Amino acid sequence: MDKLIIEGGRPLVGRVRVSGAKNATLPLMAACLLTGGRNRLRNVPNLRDVGTMAALLRELGAHVDERPGELTIDTARAEGDECPYELVKTMRASVLALGPMVARSGRGRVSLPGGCAIGERPIDQHLKGLEAMGCRIELEGGYVQARAKRLKGAEITFDLITVTGTENIMMAATLAQGRTVLRNAAREPEVVDLAQALNGAGARIEGAGDSIVTIDGVDGLGSIDHAVMPDRIEAGTFMMAAGVTRGELTIENAQMEHLTAVVAKLKEAGLRFQQTPKGLVVSARRAPRPVSVITGPYPGFPTDLQAQFMALMTLCNGSAVIQETIFENRLMHVPELRRLGAEIECGGNTAVVKGVRKLSGAPVMATDLRASACLVLAGLAAGGQTHISRVYHLDRGYERIDQKLINAGATVRRESEPGPGKAH
């Protein structure tokens, strides 16, 4: 198990490039199961979760060729119908294979999902949608079993906004008989990216990016050939890295239109933005002003950037209130920030951050993917050494972030930690 050691207290200055989005890549990989042919995905990040999804597709019989920045996925012989617990337990996005499997072959068996420990994140909305399309669902031995001769179009209203639920049902509906209408659908750019890729393969999806999505089923799809969108969460993380270190970063491949709520809050905090031919320049010269945020579904402030924003606010010149509305356990980074000298009080899913003049390095432990990024940012700003344990979470969602930060002037090194019971 690896850890990161950060020598903080110096501004980041330089250039970083945003990789392809993890949250767009995983549903695109699952979508290849709909095609039964040879598919090509470009701008693919080299991440642990991408490797896990590749292993899952191979388990189902697909041939996956992994090259730097590119995947070729041949699903002609992907006749498997079970996603085993050993793979699903490490990555909740594995459930995205269920809709495509049922749509293509009429059956699918998926272990109940795992992933970060940031809340229950149930899949009931996925199952509700499939049942509305004529699917018989059974829960047995920790597995979801779904069967249908052929899915039929339906009117489906999600009880709550769910990104993976929208994606799963949208994929299933591409091969369903008739028209499917999704109401209260997720509007995230990753949903739009998936719809564009599917439409390029012959699907008939309209309205992606709005709350109502209409899918007219087709009898079959051609191959997918698609470049994955840039990772807006990684871009936002680098913006906050510039702010927390009072540095200046040129961020290549950042799409500001996907981060309007975030950019507005960062400008309010005093960060400066300039679009140039070389990329988006983000800079800060003084302590951030206190800014309060409430997380919400897109186009609101993303929950996936809440922890990083809190790291920025630990050094604000006042007090800020941060309220998490998406996941019930997504303030687990607060005790670790306190170890670095932050002053934060929590009540339920609300944190009150009182800015301090400086943070001090200390040993901390990552609890989930975005908490890992939060601790990296705090470590970059803190004086002295910060040791961050359990950074395997970080590797699930950020491609070579330690090397990217080093290229921008950070002092970061990766070391292996002794496992339980091993000598130190």
Side-chain angles (χ1 to χ4, degrees):
M1 195 177 296
D2 288 356
K3 68 177 179 180
L4 291 184
I5 300 174
I6 301 175
E7 287 276 359
R10 66 187 68 180
L12 292 181
V13 178
R15 185 175 301 174
V16 292
R17 183 172 180 81
V18 175
S19 299
K22 173 183 87 84
N23 290 340
T25 301
L26 300 180
L28 285 165
M29 293 175 71
C32 293
L33 292 169
L34 294 165
T35 70
R38 186 179 178 85
N39 306 278
R40 179 174 172 238
L41 299 179
R42 292 165 281 120
N43 196 37
V44 174
N46 181 16
L47 300 172
R48 184 185 294 262
D49 276 8
V50 172
T52 301
M53 184 63 87
L56 178 61
L57 294 177
R58 292 187 182 107
E59 181 77 16
L60 296 173
H63 177 79
V64 183
D65 182 24
E66 301 179 71
R67 300 181 182 181
E70 186 172 310
L71 291 175
T72 302
I73 302 173
D74 190 336
T75 54
R77 298 183 180 180
E79 301 297 335
D81 63 357
E82 181 171 321
C83 301
Y85 171 74
E86 289 73 22
L87 291 172
V88 178
K89 69 179 180 180
T90 64
M91 185 185 67
R92 183 179 183 274
S94 306
V95 75
L96 287 166
L98 185 60
M101 282 193 297
V102 176
R104 177 178 168 181
S105 63
R107 65 190 188 278
R109 189 170 187 262
V110 179
S111 172
L112 290 170
C116 291
I118 59 172
E120 290 299 319
R121 301 201 286 181
I123 62 168
D124 58 310
Q125 298 301 300
H126 302 237
L127 305 185
K128 171 187 172 180
L130 289 173
E131 283 184 316
M133 298 169 74
C135 199
R136 190 173 77 250
I137 303 289
E138 296 178 356
L139 302 178
E140 181 181 353
Y143 278 78
V144 174
Q145 292 194 120
R147 292 184 178 275
K149 288 185 178 180
R150 184 178 179 184
L151 295 175
K152 293 181 171 56
E155 298 246 353
I156 300 165
T157 301
F158 293 110
D159 296 330
L160 49 86
I161 295 174
T162 163
V163 177
T164 52
T166 298
E167 292 168 338
N168 217 347
I169 304 307
M170 186 171 73
M171 287 190 286
T174 60
L175 297 182
Q177 184 178 18
R179 170 171 288 187
T180 299
V181 180
L182 307 182
R183 302 184 187 278
N184 199 29
R187 300 168 59 189
E188 272 72 3
E190 293 81 7
V191 174
V192 177
D193 202 47
L194 176 62
Q196 290 173 342
L198 289 169
N199 283 343
R204 298 172 62 192
I205 303 170
E206 294 183 357
D210 292 326
S211 60
I212 299 176
V213 181
T214 302
I215 308 104
D216 288 309
V218 297
D219 291 332
L221 294 178
S223 295
I224 293 172
D225 188 344
H226 187 74
V228 179
M229 62 172 280
D231 194 320
R232 62 192 174 96
I233 304 302
E234 184 185 12
T237 300
F238 284 134
M239 292 174 186
M240 294 176 201
V244 79
T245 65
R246 302 184 198 178
E248 180 173 291
L249 288 178
T250 299
I251 307 174
E252 299 176 358
N253 223 21
Q255 296 187 334
M256 286 181 68
E257 64 270 24
H258 292 162
L259 289 164
T260 52
V262 174
V263 170
K265 289 294 183 180
L266 292 178
K267 286 182 176 178
E268 192 178 338
L271 276 67
R272 292 179 291 181
F273 291 79
Q274 182 183 5
Q275 190 69 60
T276 74
K278 294 183 178 180
L280 177 66
V281 178
V282 183
S283 60
R285 291 290 180 265
R286 55 184 62 88
R289 292 190 289 267
V291 176
S292 297
V293 300
I294 301 174
T295 63
Y298 189 85
F301 194 97
T303 181
D304 280 352
L305 284 170
Q306 174 260 111
Q308 300 91 310
F309 191 79
M310 189 180 294
L312 177 65
M313 287 296 104
T314 61
L315 294 170
C316 73
N317 56 7
S319 295
V321 179
I322 297 176
Q323 185 176 351
E324 172 61 51
T325 70
I326 306 298
F327 295 127
E328 64 269 23
N329 294 333
R330 206 162 207 180
L331 295 177
M332 292 190 292
H333 45 279
V334 169
E336 303 305 305
L337 287 174
R338 287 179 183 145
R339 290 176 56 81
L340 298 171
E343 293 188 16
I344 307 170
E345 296 295 330
C346 286
N349 277 355
T350 300
V352 179
V353 185
K354 182 180 179 181
V356 297
R357 292 190 63 185
K358 64 177 182 178
L359 300 174
S360 299
V364 292
M365 183 176 68
T367 54
D368 61 69
L369 169 56
R370 305 308 173 185
S372 304
C374 159
L375 296 176
V376 168
L377 298 191
L380 291 169
Q385 276 194 356
T386 298
H387 293 234
I388 306 175
S389 301
R390 298 177 66 183
V391 294
Y392 63 86
H393 288 295
L394 194 70
D395 297 334
R396 287 184 48 228
Y398 290 90
E399 182 179 35
R400 301 186 308 109
I401 190 171
D402 42 349
Q403 188 58 54
K404 291 181 180 181
L405 292 171
I406 289 169
N407 293 343
T411 301
V412 183
R413 72 177 187 272
R414 183 180 288 251
E415 291 186 357
S416 295
E417 290 185 294
K422 294 182 181 180
H424 288 266

